[in-house]
Amino acid sequence: VQLQASGGGLVQAGGSLRLSCAASGGVFSSYAMGWFRQGPGKEREFVGVANWSGGGTHYDNSVKGRFTISVDDAKSTVYLQMNSLKPDDTAIYYCAAALYGVAGPPHLSSLYNYWGQGTQVTVSS
């Protein structure tokens, strides 16, 4: 299984970005797809998760109402739509996949089997 994250960049506060995570090498209908981020000087933190087949969506409180995860099965791609971006959202964003879903608290990175390489998001004030 390979995950390829892309779509990061530099955006002003209040702007939007859409990150993509292209998945290959597996049958993903049973997977849960998560997004994590690691800001400068910070530990990696959970952003959100959704089941590939639909449902099971959870977001960290810091992004709830601003970020949305969606899946395009035909393109084998998961998206993270980020709106109303803040400087605190500056981080490297990683997508992750959990085979057969997340069997526990979704914020635990140890529950995810595969990880993408990360894409940088920088939000200027």
Side-chain angles (χ1 to χ4, degrees), residues 10-27:
L10 174 64
V11 63
Q12 289 188 332
S16 299
L17 276 177
R18 189 179 74 163
L19 305 184
S20 300
C21 176
S24 61
V27 178

Side-chain angles (χ1 to χ4, degrees), residues 11-18 37 66-67 81-90 93 121-124:
V11 63
Q12 289 188 332
S16 299
L17 276 177
R18 189 179 74 163
R37 65 186 182 184
R66 299 188 298 123
F67 291 11
Q81 178 67 44
M82 306 185 295
N83 299 327
S84 302
L85 282 162
K86 306 174 182 180
D88 282 349
D89 295 319
T90 295
Y93 283 72
V121 173
T122 303
V123 184
S124 64

Side-chain angles (χ1 to χ4, degrees), residues 4-8 18-22 35 77-80 95 119:
Q4 181 74 35
S6 63
R18 189 179 74 163
L19 305 184
S20 300
C21 176
W35 286 94
T77 300
V78 179
Y79 300 100
L80 179 67
C95 58
T119 185

Side-chain angles (χ1 to χ4, degrees), residues 36 44 46 96 105-113 115:
F36 288 75
R44 186 167 53 188
F46 171 76
H107 66 277
L108 294 179
S109 59
S110 60
L111 298 180
Y112 296 82
N113 308 99
W115 292 82

